[in-house]
Amino acid sequence: MDETRLNASVYDVIRRNIKRYRKAKGMTSAELAEKVGLSHDFIRQIESEKTRYNFSVETFYKISLALGVSMDVLAEDHMYEQ
């Protein structure tokens, strides 16, 4: 697998998990944005499958703290779990 596809897929897994855990906590994207000190629009872009906006490790860390989920759990691919 080439590095570009790998990087895109890692971001996609994290993106899906951020949205998954945020919703599981009953939190809106606006509430998450407020907790991490980012704009609502920026959080929506991170979670979007269409925009596919990449983000820094620092942002990833802040989001993991706000969600109460470790970074390694957010990076786990749950797509194939039943």
Side-chain angles (χ1 to χ4, degrees):
M1 181 182 304
D2 71 47
E3 189 174 323
T4 305
R5 278 188 58 195
L6 177 63
N7 288 341
S9 67
V10 168
Y11 275 105
D12 288 341
V13 167
I14 294 168
R15 184 181 331 283
R16 279 192 306 268
N17 285 335
I18 289 170
K19 191 172 190 175
R20 174 184 178 198
Y21 285 101
R22 175 183 60 74
K23 286 184 171 190
K25 293 213 175 269
M27 188 184 300
T28 67
S29 55
E31 290 169 332
L32 177 59
E34 187 175 322
K35 284 184 175 248
V36 296
L38 298 169
S39 73
H40 179 221
D41 191 48
F42 188 79
I43 294 295
R44 286 184 26 235
Q45 288 174 353
I46 288 172
E47 291 183 349
S48 173
E49 293 289 326
K50 294 178 185 174
T51 307
R52 301 174 76 104
Y53 192 86
N54 292 342
F55 42 88
S56 69
V57 173
E58 180 182 4
T59 296
F60 181 37
Y61 177 69
K62 287 178 179 180
I63 290 171
S64 75
L65 289 177
L67 294 175
V69 179
S70 67
M71 292 171 70
D72 60 325
V73 169
L74 288 175
E76 288 177 6
D77 192 352
H78 302 284
M79 190 170 215
Y80 301 105
E81 291 179 3
Q82 299 273 330

